[in-house]
Every structure is written in C-alpha cells, then in structure tokens.
Amino acid sequence: MIEELLMAVAGAAAAMGVYTGAAARVVKQYERGVVFRFGRLRADVRTPGFTMIVPVVDRLHKVNMQIVTMPVPAQEGITRDNVTVRVDAVVYFKVVDAAEALIRVEDYKFAVSQMAQTSLRSIIGKSDLDDLLSNREKLNQGLELMLDSPAIGWGVQIDRVEIKDVSLPETMKRSMARQAEADRERPARVINADAELQASKKLAEAAGVMSAQPAALQLRLLQTVMAVSAEKNSTLVLPIPVELLRFLERATPGSGSEEAEDAAPPPPAVPPAYPRGLADGAGVEPVEDLTGASVEPAPPEE
C-alpha cells in the first residue's frame, strides 16, 4: 500500500514537473510577452520575469521593446531644382505596444523600412539641393513626421530619423567647387585692387615730387642699378630715361644742320633729253604753229 502511494506521488510529481516545464516561460527585461489562447489575444501582456502558460492551449510571442536601428538603402531622386542625387538615411524606432505590433501589421520592421524608403524619395522631390546639403535638421523633422503618422497605428514609435549622406554627380561637384573657388577668390581680388589703387596714388605723389626735382629721378635710377647689381647677375640692363636725353640735347650748342645745308654745293643741272639721233636739235623739222607762222629751230652753233 505504501509502495503504491509512493509510486502515485512520484508519478504526480513527474507529471507536475513535465507540466511545469511545458508551461514555464521567462520574459527578459527588454521584452514583453503576448499570449494567444486558441488564436485569440489575451488581454494581459506578460511583463518581464517568470510566467506560466497553459501548454498546448496558449502560445507566447515575445516582442523586443528595444530601439531598433534600421539603415535605409540609398534612394536616387531628382530634387526640386532638377539635380539628380542619391540619399541614404537611418531610422531609430521602438515598439510601444507589443499587441498592436503583432496584430496590426504582419512584419512591422519590413513595413517601417518600406515606409522610410518611400518617404525619403518624397522628401528628395520636395527639397532643393541647398536644403539637402545645409538644412538637414528641418528635413529630418519632416521625414520623422511622415514616418510617425502611419507607424503609430502599428504600435511603433519613430524615435529619430537622420539623413546620413548625399551623393552628387561628378559634374555637379566640379561646378560647386568652381563656385566656391570664385567666392574665395573674389575678396582677394578686391583687396588686390584696393592695394593697386593706394599704390597708384603714392606713385602719383612720387612722380610729382620727382618732376619738381629732376635730380630725384637720377637718384632713383642709381638705386635701381644698385638693387639689380646686388643679385650678382652676369648681365646688367641700364635704362636711360628720356628726360636725360632731352636734357643732353638742350645742353648741346647748335646741332650744325643748317650750316651743313648752306655749305653744300647745288645739284648739277640735268640737260633735256632728246630722242636718239636728234641730239642738239639736228634734223628737227619745223613745227607748224597753230596760232601763227611756223617756228624753225635755231641752227646749231659752231
């Protein structure tokens, strides 16, 4: 009798152990357990820790409540100012209602990924290139609102959306580089032009002083020669100012050009040319004068 009792107790304990092993579940701290009994959702969501379900009858689904980091594949589109770009982003989201995440959508991660891609293409088409490059905070907020509206009905909350990179065509990169270079070069040209203006004013003042004192030009010439000779060059180019040549020309007493013209003999007279065979007027027939008597040539002198 005692042996049968012991066997029954042992059998009951074994059955209880098997039942406990089949019914025992452990929900981790970052998870929530959703129970379906005969396919129907149980209202109580299991919190972290040890929990029990009815074997064969209940099914426990664990939902991760951590923030999920999902990269959005690069999307190619045309901006509002007709520039082709490729933009990729990253989405941070988490599940706030485990039951809704399992019931409302088949795969909430895939749904969020597809929604992020379509929203990113929409943002590209509505934005200018300058906004994509310099005003990303505003675009991130707009993209977050576009994702959060449908996701909240799935029990998912969009925590943050960030645009990672914007890829531009090589031609556009070169154009932007030339524009930036021109913007950087413009102040340098303005400063250089201002310096040239100030230098020209100083040179004009110096020219006025040198015109009043001709010796200053000679001193300046000697300073230039000294500066050139200090370089130890094999060839020295010495410029002669035009003012110096004019000074020497004025200092010369009479050039003598008029006296040379007076002393020169007169040019020889050129005899008149006659046709060959008729030299000295020989054999010239008289020419009838249309106004009067005929004119005979004078006889040659012996």
Side-chain angles (χ1 to χ4, degrees):
M1 184 67 182
I2 296 175
E3 293 179 357
E4 293 177 356
L5 182 60
L6 292 176
M7 292 292 295
V9 171
M16 183 61 67
V18 172
Y19 178 81
T20 303
R25 295 291 186 274
V26 176
V27 180
K28 297 180 182 180
Q29 183 65 37
Y30 55 85
E31 295 177 339
R32 297 295 183 269
V34 180
V35 179
F36 290 91
R37 179 167 294 176
F38 294 111
R40 295 177 63 87
L41 176 66
R42 298 286 295 177
D44 54 335
V45 177
R46 307 300 171 88
T47 57
F50 181 80
T51 184
M52 297 287 292
I53 62 172
V54 179
V56 183
V57 177
D58 293 343
R59 291 289 184 272
L60 179 67
H61 295 271
K62 299 178 182 180
V63 180
N64 194 333
M65 306 296 288
Q66 292 176 316
I67 295 178
V68 180
T69 304
M70 176 179 293
V72 181
Q75 302 297 314
E76 185 173 354
I78 301 177
T79 60
R80 191 166 55 182
D81 50 354
N82 298 326
V83 179
T84 304
V85 295
R86 289 178 61 88
V87 182
D88 56 351
V90 58
V91 180
Y92 302 90
F93 67 93
K94 63 181 179 180
V95 177
V96 294
D97 192 339
E100 293 292 333
L102 288 177
I103 294 175
R104 297 296 182 182
V105 63
E106 180 181 2
D107 188 351
Y108 64 89
K109 293 184 180 180
F110 181 75
V112 171
S113 176
Q114 295 299 313
M115 181 60 66
Q117 295 180 32
T118 55
S119 300
L120 183 58
R121 285 195 294 269
S122 178
I123 285 291
I124 293 174
K126 295 179 181 178
S127 304
D128 295 331
L129 180 61
D130 294 338
D131 294 336
L132 290 175
L133 297 177
S134 60
N135 195 12
R136 293 189 182 182
E137 291 295 333
K138 183 178 179 180
L139 298 180
N140 293 338
Q141 294 176 2
L143 190 58
E144 182 178 348
L145 291 176
M146 294 179 65
L147 291 176
D148 193 58
S149 298
I152 197 66
W154 305 335
V156 178
Q157 179 183 355
I158 304 299
D159 188 71
R160 190 178 182 85
V161 181
E162 292 286 346
I163 295 177
K164 293 196 301 182
D165 187 25
V166 179
S167 300
L168 300 175
E170 292 297 329
T171 55
M172 181 57 63
K173 290 181 180 179
R174 288 193 293 268
S175 299
M176 295 177 66
R178 288 195 299 267
Q179 180 182 0
E181 183 179 357
D183 291 339
R184 296 292 183 182
E185 189 177 357
R186 179 175 57 184
R189 290 187 176 182
V190 172
I191 295 174
N192 191 16
D194 191 13
E196 292 290 341
L197 177 60
Q198 296 179 7
S200 63
K201 293 180 179 179
K202 295 298 181 181
L203 290 175
E205 295 178 3
V209 174
M210 290 183 180
S211 62
Q213 299 292 335
L217 184 60
Q218 302 299 325
L219 294 177
R220 182 58 182 166
L221 177 60
L222 294 176
Q223 291 178 357
T224 304
V225 173
M226 292 178 61
V228 174
S229 61
E231 298 295 333
K232 298 181 181 180
N233 296 325
S234 59
T235 303
L236 178 61
V237 178
L238 181 60
I240 299 177
V242 180
E243 288 78 3
L244 181 59
L245 297 178
R246 291 177 180 175
F247 175 76
L248 295 176
E249 182 180 2
R250 289 194 300 267
T252 303
S255 59
S257 58
E258 297 180 356
E259 297 178 357
E261 291 179 359
D262 296 338
V270 180
Y274 292 95
R276 182 175 298 176
L278 299 179
D280 297 334
V284 177
E285 298 180 357
V287 179
E288 182 180 359
D289 187 2
L290 299 178
T291 59
S294 60
V295 179
E296 296 181 358
E301 298 179 359
E302 297 181 357

